[in-house]
Amino acid sequence: MKKVVFVLMSLFLSQLTWGKTNVDSLIAVMDKSAGEEKVDILLKIGQYYCQNQTKKAIGYTNQALALSKEIDYNNGEFGAYNTLAITYERMHEYEEALKNYQMALALAEQVEDINARARIFNNIGNAYDLLEEHDKATKNYYLGLENLDTTETQLHVMLHLNLGAAYGDVNQYDSTLLYFKRALEIARQPGFENDNLLLLLMANLAELYSLIGDKSEALNKASEAKDMLSQELNNYTHAAVMHIYAGINLKYKKYKEAEKALYQVIELADELNNNNFKITALERMAILHKEQGRYEEAIGFYEVYIQVKDSNISVEKNKRIAELEAKYEAERKQNEIDQLKKEKALNDLAISKLRVRNTLFVGVVIITVVIIFFIFRGYRLKKRTNKKLTKMNAALKNTKYDLEKSIILKDNLIKVIGHDLRGPIGSISGFAQLLATGKWDKEPEPIKKYSKLIYQISDSALTLLTNILYWAKLQQGEYSAEKQIFNSLEVTQLAIQPYMGIANDKKISVQLNINNAAVAYGDKFAFSIIMGNLVNNALKFTPKGGVIRIMQVQQNNGVTFSVADTGIGLEKDIANALFSDSQFISSKGTENETGTGFGLKICKKFVDINNGKIWYENNPDFGATFFFHFPYQKKS
């Protein structure tokens, strides 16, 4: 639901703020202007660049802010803070955006726009929505309605849309439908001149009906929006309406209407250079042809979908890197400015002292000579001390900057690796699944066999990728445990279920020695990841016909679980690196399965956040046993 409404919000924002600004002509007249006129020009340039060149946007907008403060221009200062907030929001720096929105809100009552407070409350709600803090978002949208002069119908419509979206984010679809209908009533009143927004609203309402299962209303509203399209409306509206119309018709098996609409969406997406529309349309084309049994065409669309998706991921990644560089460059320049201000203050102080000394020298020669001697001596000492302090401060700043940069690069490297690998691996999995589930009555049997092998390999790779992403989150402290009492047998059965196919293939007996009523205390999700990884690890290194035993033992201070196998055991050099963050050693299982050690490192992290411990006992002749311990809940 949030995605639908944000499509509208982005369009609405662009219509209100940037329009078709001729930025080159603005830059040409900027240097010739002064005062409030220059502030307004700087703001227009900043708003223009906010769309795709955030570094320039921040530079021009900061100039406007500084000049507004200098000439006491409230409208300019308000506009600058609002533009900075929108720019940081586009850079995904939502906390920084909120700070600037709050500064704009403090100035809202001093500007000429009577709806200034309502606009800022709407923007603050949008930022909290992007942070997924929906209660705060809803509160600000209500504040926007309370501060709104309802003669501004477009903002009135947008606030109702955002309220509906916020309720949709928490699955309160009755409230979503109520506010969407109110928005539509306002948009249909005489004098509402934004037909693009009206049609997008109708299409989104159709999608909401589809979401809540009202087939008749969904199809009717989608068709009504489609029939109202005209040449006067922009291509974005055409693409968005046909995109929703196609999705609803595909959902309800109206393939002819869906296919025709999807071709139009692809054509419009190319004209708009909008890969998001194109990616979804291509994916739906592949699904449509597959459901109709047109497998070769489905494969063709799926291949194009993967190419466009991978290209879009690369563009988004480069854009994000540019945004981060802009942010760090701005911070670096601000630090340089602050340093120059400090040096200027010191220089001014030194000049002032020098003037006093010269005056005293003219008045009283002998006393001045004595004073000069001591001042000069103190000055030399102070200069040497300041020089040493400056060098030390510079060294500390460089060290801190290098450390922060190394940490950020290390953590982001893992995330980038994860996301760059997930696309291709997911593509292999989807393509292989499509081959494995197709109708190949006239084809050789090995096709199905090899397709199944490809699917299994890619699924294993996805498991490894998932472990890498978990590890990255744990390294950055982005995971918080939600501890509770749970039935350990039930959770264990669910955790090992995905690996029972491997056990059956290798004819390995997995024995669960856990009482039906047994319980444990801790984070249930963390427990599932730990148990699943240990069983998966045991299956890799246990030969065909082996046995894996899972046990639970109640103790005075908690519960201990063990996973024992009759496998090949652990070599000494591998055993020493099992739980180390700095060492990664690959090894092969009994059937040449790949083992990277990531699973055990993740187990260690999840055990740590549950205040437990993990260890192992190794016997090369009889296999290995891994233990992990969860303590009982502390009494308050």
Side-chain angles (χ1 to χ4, degrees):
M1 181 54 55
K2 184 181 357 181
K3 179 189 287 186
V4 176
V5 176
F6 284 170
V7 168
L8 292 174
M9 185 176 296
S10 177
L11 175 67
F12 181 73
L13 184 62
S14 65
Q15 288 173 336
L16 286 183
T17 308
W18 294 293
K20 297 181 179 178
T21 305
N22 189 335
V23 70
D24 292 331
S25 63
L26 289 174
I27 293 174
V29 301
M30 179 183 64
D31 293 333
K32 300 177 182 179
S33 59
E36 294 181 1
E37 181 185 4
K38 185 171 184 178
V39 170
D40 293 338
I41 292 173
L42 286 166
L43 283 176
K44 288 179 180 178
I45 298 172
Q47 290 163 0
Y48 175 85
Y49 283 125
C50 173
Q51 300 176 79
N52 46 33
Q53 298 188 50
T54 52
K55 182 178 179 180
K56 288 186 176 180
I58 291 173
Y60 282 107
T61 308
N62 275 327
Q63 290 183 52
L65 179 61
L67 182 55
S68 295
K69 290 180 177 180
E70 183 179 335
I71 64 176
D72 197 24
Y73 181 31
N74 289 332
N75 281 3
E77 192 173 351
F78 168 82
Y81 279 123
N82 192 34
T83 303
L84 282 171
I86 294 170
T87 305
Y88 281 119
E89 190 170 299
R90 284 174 172 264
M91 294 169 63
H92 311 291
E93 298 292 336
Y94 302 122
E95 297 295 341
E96 195 66 29
L98 284 169
K99 290 179 183 177
N100 283 279
Y101 279 139
Q102 292 297 337
M103 296 296 291
L105 186 61
L107 292 164
E109 292 182 352
Q110 303 174 34
V111 301
E112 298 171 357
D113 185 355
I114 59 175
N115 284 313
R117 284 175 62 82
R119 294 182 196 283
I120 297 301
F121 280 126
N122 179 67
N123 291 347
I124 292 173
N126 183 19
Y128 278 123
D129 251 337
L130 294 170
L131 285 168
E132 298 186 0
E133 295 183 33
H134 305 302
D135 288 340
K136 293 181 180 178
T138 302
K139 177 182 177 181
N140 279 280
Y141 293 142
Y142 276 121
L143 288 170
L145 287 173
E146 291 175 6
N147 286 270
L148 177 69
D149 177 3
T150 55
T151 58
E152 172 127 7
T153 53
Q154 291 192 60
L155 183 56
H156 203 186
V157 169
M158 184 53 57
L159 283 163
H160 280 88
L161 277 172
N162 288 339
L163 265 174
Y167 281 116
D169 288 330
V170 291
N171 300 324
Q172 296 184 26
Y173 297 123
D174 289 340
S175 297
T176 301
L177 184 59
L178 173 66
Y179 282 101
F180 272 22
K181 285 183 175 180
R182 287 184 182 175
L184 188 58
E185 289 174 4
I186 299 167
R188 282 178 165 168
Q189 291 176 2
F192 188 83
E193 299 177 351
N194 194 330
D195 290 335
N196 289 291
L197 184 57
L198 173 61
L199 278 192
L200 287 167
L201 171 58
M202 292 173 61
N204 286 334
L205 188 58
E207 190 164 41
L208 174 61
Y209 279 123
S210 174
L211 181 64
I212 63 180
D214 193 335
K215 176 180 177 182
S216 176
E217 282 294 331
L219 290 170
N220 288 339
K221 291 295 181 187
S223 296
E224 183 181 357
K226 171 182 170 291
D227 293 340
M228 289 177 66
L229 289 170
S230 64
Q231 292 183 351
E232 289 76 21
L233 301 175
N234 61 45
N235 283 348
Y236 187 94
T237 300
H238 279 264
V241 170
M242 296 306 294
H243 172 79
I244 293 173
Y245 174 84
I248 291 173
N249 278 278
L250 176 60
K251 177 179 179 179
Y252 295 114
K253 311 299 183 185
K254 292 183 176 293
Y255 297 120
K256 183 178 179 180
E257 292 85 352
E259 184 173 2
K260 183 178 179 181
L262 287 170
Y263 276 120
Q264 292 184 45
V265 174
I266 293 171
E267 182 179 351
L268 288 165
D270 287 334
E271 293 178 11
L272 292 165
N273 195 25
N274 189 316
N275 279 342
N276 290 328
F277 279 143
K278 189 171 184 178
I279 288 168
T280 307
L282 289 168
E283 183 181 26
R284 287 175 174 174
M285 275 292 199
I287 295 170
L288 183 148
H289 287 86
K290 180 185 175 184
E291 290 181 359
Q292 291 182 305
R294 297 153 65 184
Y295 295 107
E296 291 185 0
E297 292 172 86
I299 292 171
F301 277 109
Y302 194 82
E303 290 176 336
V304 178
Y305 156 72
I306 293 304
Q307 291 173 3
V308 177
K309 183 180 178 183
D310 289 345
S311 174
N312 194 53
I313 290 173
S314 178
V315 170
E316 289 296 322
K317 182 176 68 177
N318 291 336
K319 181 179 178 182
R320 180 61 177 150
I321 291 172
E323 290 172 347
L324 288 172
E325 288 176 347
K327 178 187 175 186
Y328 289 130
E329 181 66 15
E331 291 178 350
R332 186 184 64 81
K333 287 185 176 180
Q334 186 59 48
N335 289 335
E336 290 178 356
I337 291 170
D338 293 340
Q339 184 62 34
L340 288 173
K341 287 181 179 178
K342 290 179 181 179
E343 291 176 359
K344 183 178 181 301
L346 289 173
N347 288 335
D348 291 342
L349 180 62
I351 291 170
S352 176
K353 288 182 178 180
L354 184 60
R355 286 174 179 171
V356 172
R357 186 181 62 184
N358 289 337
T359 301
L360 293 173
F361 178 79
V362 172
V364 186
V365 176
I366 299 174
I367 296 174
T368 302
V369 170
V370 176
I371 293 173
I372 289 173
F373 172 79
F374 286 105
I375 289 177
F376 183 74
R377 183 180 178 185
Y379 178 79
R380 290 282 303 273
L381 180 61
K382 182 178 180 181
K383 188 176 180 180
R384 285 197 300 268
T385 304
N386 285 341
K387 188 175 181 180
K388 289 180 180 179
L389 288 174
T390 301
K391 287 183 179 180
M392 291 175 65
N393 285 335
L396 287 172
K397 284 183 179 178
N398 290 334
T399 302
K400 180 182 177 183
Y401 177 80
D402 290 339
L403 286 173
E404 289 176 346
K405 186 176 179 181
S406 297
I407 292 169
I408 292 170
L409 286 175
K410 184 262 293 181
D411 292 335
N412 285 342
L413 177 62
I414 294 173
K415 286 188 176 179
V416 169
I417 290 172
H419 286 289
D420 283 352
L421 287 176
R422 190 174 185 86
I425 294 175
S427 302
I428 293 171
S429 179
F431 187 75
Q433 187 178 19
L434 188 62
L435 290 174
T437 56
K439 296 180 180 180
W440 310 96
D441 296 335
K442 297 181 180 181
E443 298 294 335
E445 184 63 22
I447 290 180
K448 289 188 177 181
K449 176 182 176 183
Y450 294 142
S451 298
K452 183 178 179 182
L453 287 172
I454 293 172
Y455 180 67
Q456 290 174 343
I457 292 168
S458 61
D459 189 62
S460 175
L462 281 172
T463 300
L464 169 61
L465 178 57
T466 301
N467 280 336
I468 293 173
L469 293 175
Y470 283 145
W471 185 75
K473 284 188 175 183
L474 290 167
Q475 287 290 98
Q476 293 181 293
E478 294 180 0
Y479 183 88
S480 59
E482 296 181 5
K483 297 181 181 180
Q484 59 182 299
I485 297 174
F486 57 88
N487 186 296
S488 49
L489 177 61
E490 292 178 359
V491 179
T492 299
Q493 289 173 332
L494 290 173
I496 69 174
Q497 183 59 38
Y499 308 103
M500 294 310 294
I502 300 173
N504 292 334
D505 289 344
K506 295 181 73 172
K507 296 181 175 55
I508 294 173
S509 172
V510 179
Q511 300 176 2
L512 265 173
N513 297 325
I514 299 177
N515 190 283
N516 289 338
V519 295
Y521 173 76
D523 185 276
K524 188 161 63 173
F525 176 78
F527 178 89
S528 296
I529 297 299
I530 296 166
M531 185 62 75
N533 270 296
L534 291 180
V535 171
N536 184 30
N537 203 54
L539 288 168
K540 285 179 185 177
F541 299 102
T542 300
K544 290 183 177 181
V547 177
I548 295 174
R549 295 181 179 87
I550 303 172
M551 299 182 65
Q552 174 178 340
V553 178
Q554 302 289 138
Q555 296 176 321
N556 292 333
N557 61 342
V559 182
T560 298
F561 299 87
S562 63
V563 178
D565 62 60
T566 58
I568 58 178
L570 297 167
E571 297 178 5
K572 186 175 181 180
D573 58 338
I574 294 177
N576 291 335
L578 284 180
F579 302 117
S580 170
D581 279 341
S582 60
Q583 298 183 58
F584 294 86
I585 299 178
S586 298
S587 57
K588 297 291 185 179
T590 59
E591 299 292 325
N592 286 323
E593 303 99 321
T594 300
T596 64
F598 256 116
L600 291 176
K601 297 180 193 306
I602 290 169
C603 289
K604 178 66 167 61
K605 294 288 185 183
F606 274 123
V607 167
D608 288 344
I609 66 175
N610 280 278
N611 301 319
K613 59 181 180 178
I614 185 169
W615 69 98
Y616 63 90
E617 293 179 1
N618 181 42
N619 188 329
D621 297 326
F622 301 100
T625 302
F626 281 83
F627 302 84
F628 67 96
H629 178 83
F630 273 25
Y632 288 131
Q633 180 179 7
K634 292 183 179 180
K635 294 182 179 180
S636 58

